[in-house]
Amino acid sequence: MNDTTMLYAFLGVALLCFAWKTLVNRYKLSAIPTVGCYFGAPHRGLPATLQKGYDKHRGSIFKVSTWSKWLILVSGPQLIDDLRSASDDELSADTALRDTLQMEFTLGAEIFENRYHLDVIKSSLTKNITTKLMDVRDEIETAFNDHIIAKTDEWVTVTAYPAIMDVVCRTLNRMLVGLPLCGFQFKLARVEFTVAYTTGRDPDYLDLNKEFTINIMETARMLNYFPSFLKPILVQLFSEIPRGIGRGYKHLGPLFKDHLEKEARYGKDSPEKPNDAVNLLVDYSRNEPSHAKRIRSMVLRMLLINFAGIRTPTIAFTHVLFELASRPEYVQPMREEIEATIQREGWSKTALGKLRKVDSFIKETLRLSNFFSTVMQRKAMKDFTFSNGVTVPAGSTIAVPLAATHIDPEYYTDPGTFDGFRFEKMRDKEGMGNKHQLISLDSSYVLFGGGGRACPGRFFATHLLKVMLVHILLNYDVQMANGRARTDERTFGKVALPDPKAQVMFRKRR
């Protein structure tokens, strides 16, 4: 039997297994109504299908056929609460993410066997917002100045999406690894030594993280079309991920090795040691079985943290910028709020929390941008019965339709119309002062998920979006290039990206 015959035989067996699995799953899920199918092509089919299902089965459950599985959708406050309150051994968010990103074949399954990178995100990003807010502001200002050489008497045109990705990447890594040669000192047993960070604004390191973010999504989407036995081969032949990991070692390997060597020499405890991502990864990785695996684990997790921290804020703020450039009537009210608040409170986390108009404008933009078709994705680890009596069999993938939820007239008045200060007005009602913030979690606004598995980086992300918007409002006038209104998204699979070629014009404020 030659190689070609063997390949066809393997493909035939895989196809038969797929067909059998589909028939079995169809029987198990027969009680759940079907609404259309979706096979992952870059078109708007999935959002339209999900809206159709939501309109017909609101408050209940329906399913959509995809290339490799059934996608089960739930809606309404009660079922969303069932989803968010289910335990990990019932409905697992981690396993669903692992499947979506094809972790066994992209970064390795061991990443999810011990998820200490989530603790690093919470500690290095969330808890450091207050202490590093001025670093965030400084990096945003520096990055925008590098991209926008603007003057008060002329407009400068910028391709928005790549510029925003660069700003986000630089700001995130200012928090994670610091500036080049920005050292800190340990003081142990009268010994002082300095560890120098060298990657904060290194162009190759920043490019690596931006490219790695895209490569993971492209590779995962490709692998979903093929049987498991072909996936390791496809990753090696067609994916840039192995090369990206090699570049990650080049930048991060020496940094982690240096930390480990000095820790072994002088001890691990020091009040001088900063609470940043590098040190936290060193602390949390102590149970790795060997030195080499410890280095590999820390490199992969830093790349994964960048993946999580770059992609969503970039998409989100590009949408915000497009709305700002298309809706000049919102500029002056937000500027007045910002200037009055900063004059009263100074530049602080407290001041950002009091920018109700800014918070509302961002939240309303993201309510209607719908850059994810589904959120709160879970994998059923065992048969699970929802409160309405419907049982979903083990192995099923369950999610909430984002766009349909966010334009539900039961939740929002005139839901299809952009009202930048919608949530500010909702917060003005008695007892609602804290409920409708961008950071808030409830069944009517599900972008950040809910329950114990809500997005761990959402606190940093929301502050980042606010500081970026405040910087633009205080320093620039903006408009869409060529007098055009904001551009439509480009839908790829379950993600709707803002037009990557759309341009925005900037002019220094007079």
Side-chain angles (χ1 to χ4, degrees):
M1 183 180 291
N2 59 37
D3 291 344
T4 302
T5 304
M6 289 182 64
L7 176 60
Y8 281 126
F10 275 120
L11 290 175
V13 171
L15 184 60
L16 286 173
C17 291
F18 170 76
W20 174 252
K21 183 178 179 181
T22 301
L23 289 172
V24 171
N25 286 341
R26 181 184 291 273
Y27 173 75
K28 290 182 177 180
L29 294 168
S30 59
I32 300 175
T34 302
V35 182
C37 59
Y38 171 73
F39 297 120
H43 57 70
R44 296 179 179 276
L46 183 58
T49 300
L50 296 181
Q51 186 65 56
K52 177 183 175 182
Y54 189 94
D55 292 340
K56 190 174 182 179
H57 302 287
R58 186 192 184 280
S60 186
I61 300 178
F62 64 94
K63 67 180 185 290
V64 174
S65 175
T66 71
W67 173 255
S68 60
K69 60 188 175 184
W70 289 98
L71 178 61
I72 300 171
L73 289 308
V74 302
S75 64
Q78 185 57 58
L79 298 189
I80 291 176
D81 188 61
D82 291 345
L83 197 67
R84 69 158 57 98
S85 60
S87 63
D88 286 342
D89 62 353
E90 294 174 313
L91 302 178
S92 173
D94 292 323
T95 305
L97 181 62
R98 183 173 175 171
D99 290 349
T100 298
L101 298 181
Q102 296 286 300
M103 275 297 170
E104 283 85 350
F105 312 102
T106 53
L107 293 180
E110 67 272 11
I111 290 289
F112 278 83
E113 292 172 2
N114 184 348
R115 302 184 306 275
Y116 61 78
H117 53 278
L118 298 181
D119 295 318
V120 172
I121 291 173
K122 293 173 184 176
S123 297
S124 66
L125 295 181
T126 303
K127 294 181 180 179
N128 284 344
I129 290 172
T130 300
T131 58
K132 293 192 175 183
L133 181 61
M134 299 313 292
D135 286 346
V136 169
R137 181 187 172 198
D138 175 68
E139 195 62 34
I140 287 172
E141 180 178 0
T142 303
F144 271 111
N145 286 342
D146 288 345
H147 282 280
I148 306 167
I149 314 300
K151 300 178 181 179
T152 55
D153 58 347
E154 61 184 55
W155 292 92
V156 174
T157 301
V158 176
T159 303
Y161 186 78
I164 296 304
M165 177 174 278
D166 187 68
V167 174
V168 170
C169 182
R170 285 175 55 167
T171 306
L172 175 66
N173 280 283
R174 177 74 176 264
M175 292 282 286
L176 294 175
V177 299
L179 288 172
L181 306 179
C182 179
F184 63 86
Q185 292 184 326
F186 290 85
K187 294 182 180 179
L188 296 171
R190 299 181 181 178
V191 177
E192 295 187 9
F193 59 88
T194 300
V195 178
Y197 288 145
T198 60
T199 56
R201 286 184 188 154
D202 184 308
D204 187 66
Y205 177 72
L206 296 174
D207 286 344
L208 159 65
N209 283 297
K210 289 182 284 186
E211 292 166 12
F212 199 76
T213 296
I214 296 169
N215 291 337
I216 287 180
M217 295 308 301
E218 289 180 343
T219 301
R221 191 157 63 94
M222 172 188 70
L223 294 179
N224 271 300
Y225 291 105
F226 293 93
S228 295
F229 73 91
L230 287 177
K231 292 177 182 180
I233 301 171
L234 292 170
V235 169
Q236 295 300 321
L237 291 178
F238 300 110
S239 173
E240 291 294 314
I241 289 178
R243 191 171 71 87
I245 293 173
R247 289 170 68 191
Y249 267 96
K250 168 188 167 185
H251 292 285
L252 296 168
L255 182 63
F256 288 126
K257 289 177 182 177
D258 195 51
H259 274 252
L260 292 176
E261 289 171 2
K262 289 182 169 61
E263 181 183 272
R265 188 181 308 166
Y266 300 107
K268 64 183 179 65
D269 298 317
S270 169
E272 303 285 335
K273 189 167 67 172
N275 182 39
D276 63 10
V278 175
N279 285 289
L280 287 167
L281 282 170
V282 169
D283 288 341
Y284 282 116
S285 65
R286 298 187 190 284
N287 293 328
E288 295 289 347
S290 69
H291 182 84
K293 287 189 175 181
R294 190 176 182 185
I295 296 291
R296 174 179 171 78
S297 178
M298 289 189 289
V299 169
L300 289 177
R301 288 169 199 274
M302 185 68 86
L303 293 173
L304 183 59
I305 291 170
N306 267 277
F307 164 75
I310 293 172
R311 175 172 169 259
T312 300
T314 296
I315 298 172
F317 193 78
T318 305
H319 282 298
V320 170
L321 179 59
F322 287 168
E323 292 293 355
L324 183 70
S326 304
R327 302 180 186 275
E329 66 272 22
Y330 288 99
V331 170
Q332 193 56 33
M334 286 194 287
R335 278 179 177 164
E336 291 174 356
E337 177 187 62
I338 293 166
E339 289 167 348
T341 302
I342 291 178
Q343 184 177 17
R344 186 174 62 251
E345 303 285 346
W347 257 102
S348 64
K349 182 182 176 182
T350 300
L352 290 178
K354 294 184 177 181
L355 298 178
R356 289 193 173 198
K357 286 182 168 61
V358 170
D359 188 278
S360 178
F361 187 86
I362 296 172
K363 185 167 184 175
E364 178 73 348
T365 297
L366 302 186
R367 181 182 74 85
L368 292 174
S369 62
N370 303 312
F371 49 83
F372 299 131
S373 294
T374 61
V375 291
M376 296 182 68
Q377 193 157 293
R378 304 287 191 270
K379 180 77 171 284
M381 308 308 291
K382 59 179 72 171
D383 290 358
F384 181 83
T385 302
F386 282 89
S387 56
N388 65 352
V390 176
T391 297
V392 175
S396 301
T397 300
I398 310 165
V400 175
L402 178 65
T405 302
H406 283 180
I407 59 170
D408 189 331
E410 292 290 325
Y411 299 138
Y412 302 104
T413 303
D414 196 11
T417 299
F418 183 94
D419 179 356
F421 299 148
R422 177 190 299 272
F423 293 100
E424 180 199 23
K425 288 176 280 190
M426 293 170 72
R427 291 176 68 181
D428 285 340
K429 297 177 182 178
E430 185 175 354
M432 296 289 111
N434 294 322
K435 182 175 181 181
H436 297 290
Q437 299 177 75
L438 175 59
I439 204 67
S440 301
L441 303 173
D442 63 61
S443 58
S444 66
Y445 198 92
V446 292
L447 177 62
F448 294 118
R453 290 302 180 195
C455 173
R458 66 189 184 279
F459 298 99
F460 171 74
T462 55
H463 281 80
L464 174 63
L465 296 179
K466 286 182 183 180
V467 177
M468 291 173 72
L469 181 54
V470 166
H471 177 78
I472 287 177
L473 284 165
L474 292 181
N475 291 280
Y476 303 103
D477 298 317
V478 295
Q479 65 182 34
M480 296 301 294
N482 303 320
R484 295 161 51 192
R486 64 155 296 160
T487 56
D488 292 332
E489 303 88 21
R490 299 290 190 269
T491 302
F492 295 94
K494 297 179 183 178
V495 179
L497 296 176
D499 183 353
K501 296 182 180 179
Q503 295 182 315
V504 174
M505 299 175 69
F506 291 80
R507 182 180 63 189
K508 273 287 187 182
R509 276 186 71 190
R510 296 180 184 278

